[in-house]
Amino acid sequence: MARERTLVGAAAPQSAQPKMAVLTVQSGLEAGRVYVLARDKANTLGREEDECTITFEDARLSRLHARVISVNGEWMLTDQGSTNGTFVNDVRIEKHSQLSDGDRVVLGGSVSLRFALVTAEERDALMRVYEAAVRDGLTGVLNRKALDQRLLAELAFAVRHDTPLSLVLLDVDHFKKVNDTYGHPAGDAVLREVAARLTRALRIEDVFGRYGGEEFLIVAREITLEQGAQLAERMRVLIDSSPIVFEGTPIHVSASFGVASLACCGATRDAPALLSIVDARLYDAKHAGRNRVVAQGTR
């Protein structure tokens, strides 16, 4: 009997993965951030949150600076009559410009972006790189560098729009004792849980991150000093109300809070002045017995 043979041919080529358009920030406060462009609507760029789908906190941009839309499978960039211009590969566009993969887009001479066509896998890789650059490796919240950058952006917004801005700086009480008593893995678990509790309780517009060691910072837009103190008290109760369980062992922790607002700074409305005040009030809270909120002081 003839042996039956199985013919093995070349595998059918897989269809190319569909590509999406992204803008990756190349410079400034959000370098590395990736924006996925919508195909079914206009993607508007500028510094006004109410008018734009992608915003940048840069005074050199117009409120509605430019837009990107998909037309018959091609991506078109349009300047919206901006003051300082829109550039593609260092050439200022008069009105419209068709974008190609790899093009460099500059808004207002200051915000630099790279236009690219990428697969979902490539998009995810770009986003992972950005997240690794701005997230604290232990807690997953913003790291110190990202916090400093976001604070500058929020301050610029508050000063330009004459709106309130408050900072809440907190420190986990007796954290060294936690490490000494339960071990450093338990201390890490405490920091992760504190960060998780606060993240779940904060507004989506609040900026929150690890300021250093066992300190965390909240930047609260359009929040007055009184409202900031109320926010801090809610966070204090949230931490103090129930123990953190690590490997079956309950660990009770508390935190001390300092609160300051832009209105506390007087004429010096900048980040160093605001941070100095909130840090001094956190110091007062710790030296007054800990597990409390201080929102008043000599400054």
Side-chain angles (χ1 to χ4, degrees), residues 57 150-166 219-223 261-263 269 274:
E57 193 59 43
R150 291 292 301 274
L151 174 58
L152 291 176
E154 292 297 328
L155 270 169
F157 180 93
V159 170
R160 186 170 68 248
H161 294 275
D162 194 26
T163 56
L165 179 75
S166 288
V219 184
R221 179 185 288 193
E222 298 184 351
I223 292 293
S261 74
L262 198 54
R269 296 171 24 131
L274 189 52

Side-chain angles (χ1 to χ4, degrees), residues 188-219:
D188 289 348
V190 165
L191 294 179
R192 284 194 294 267
E193 178 59 19
V194 167
R197 289 185 186 185
L198 299 189
T199 298
R200 290 192 295 266
L202 290 169
R203 305 174 303 170
I204 191 170
E205 63 266 35
D206 292 326
V207 177
F208 173 59
R210 189 178 179 189
Y211 196 65
E214 61 269 26
E215 289 186 341
F216 295 88
L217 180 69
I218 303 167
V219 184

Side-chain angles (χ1 to χ4, degrees), residues 11-32:
Q14 293 182 349
S15 59
Q17 293 187 51
K19 292 198 171 185
M20 64 192 73
V22 300
L23 288 172
T24 303
V25 183
Q26 301 292 292
S27 62
L29 298 177
E30 295 189 319

